[in-house]
Amino acid sequence: MEEDPVAAALARIDALQGYRLTLRSQGSGGEEVIRYSYRPPGYVRMEMEAPYRGAVLVYRPDTGKVQLWPFGGPGSRPGLSLRPTNRMVRSSRGHRVDQSDVATLLRNVQRLQQHGSARLLGPTTLDGQHPVQHVVVEAEPGRAVHEVARYDLWLDEETLFPLRVISYDRRGERLESVHLEDVELDPAFPPDHFAP
């Protein structure tokens, strides 16, 4: 593992041509389950499984717009064209689709690390089977990034891709727990995947 595991993970992710995964997020707003796809320089596709099963949204950086199909994917009906700041396309925690990629998350972790410290707790296994490195990034007292004062990250031992991220506030209370499952790196996306 590199001396700075967060910077190493970010460098690996920045070198990817894209990824696809299932995102499970648990927080005060309940559970969200999303089939998530990303391709540089910022194309995002989210297929909702919970709580809004069937909804699909696509963000295109070339237009700066989010296309939303609330009751079924593209082709079922014309989609709504919205700005990424619109409440209809923000998560229960206020996350924006145009700032939802893993590199953005790791940049937030780095910002917290600049005003605190990072500790590598060492190799372990996630769910008793997947080899990972557990990294804790904590801000110095009184500091936070978007309410977050601590991140716990579990990075895949081989790829350094985050597989679990838990964020905590200044009081040490859990804000959100995110599990990244079924991760595919550099997948071959269909031609219309981000341009339905």
Side-chain angles (χ1 to χ4, degrees):
M1 176 63 76
E2 306 283 336
E3 189 170 310
D4 183 343
V6 177
L10 184 56
R12 293 266 190 103
I13 287 166
D14 281 343
L16 294 173
Q17 296 302 305
Y19 52 85
R20 183 173 16 212
L21 52 85
T22 300
L23 184 149
R24 293 182 187 280
S25 171
Q26 290 132 0
S28 59
E31 182 177 53
E32 295 174 353
V33 181
I34 302 166
R35 191 74 183 132
Y36 184 96
S37 302
Y38 177 84
R39 187 183 77 205
Y43 293 89
V44 174
R45 180 182 175 116
M46 295 183 181
E47 299 171 25
M48 308 301 172
E49 294 184 15
Y52 306 109
R53 186 169 184 79
V56 175
L57 59 89
V58 172
Y59 172 73
R60 295 180 51 91
D62 56 345
T63 64
K65 297 286 186 179
V66 178
Q67 288 295 122
L68 169 66
W69 293 268
F71 306 109
S76 61
R77 295 191 173 135
L80 303 171
S81 182
L82 304 166
R83 292 185 175 166
T85 54
N86 190 298
R87 287 183 357 177
M88 286 181 65
V89 291
R90 291 180 82 143
S91 76
S92 60
R93 292 232 1 104
H95 299 305
R96 292 171 43 163
V97 63
D98 61 330
Q99 300 171 354
S100 63
D101 60 288
V102 173
T104 297
L105 164 72
L106 289 176
R107 286 186 186 96
N108 286 336
V109 173
Q110 276 189 322
R111 285 177 52 209
L112 194 68
Q113 183 179 354
Q114 289 169 356
H115 301 287
S117 63
R119 290 179 290 134
L120 182 60
L121 300 185
T124 185
T125 56
L126 196 58
D127 301 325
Q129 58 185 353
H130 202 98
V132 292
Q133 293 286 338
H134 184 184
V135 181
V136 176
V137 177
E138 286 184 280
E140 55 195 35
R143 294 280 199 161
V145 173
H146 305 297
E147 300 179 77
V148 179
R150 172 182 166 167
Y151 283 104
D152 274 55
L153 300 147
W154 286 263
L155 305 174
D156 180 275
E157 179 78 43
E158 184 179 327
T159 66
L160 301 183
F161 198 92
L163 299 179
R164 182 176 294 167
V165 181
I166 301 177
S167 57
Y168 300 88
D169 66 15
R170 288 184 182 108
R171 297 183 308 276
E173 293 183 22
R174 184 181 294 202
L175 293 169
E176 187 176 27
S177 177
V178 178
H179 300 251
L180 305 174
E181 303 168 353
D182 308 319
V183 176
E184 296 175 63
L185 303 181
D186 293 326
F189 293 116
D192 62 349
H193 195 66
F194 300 99

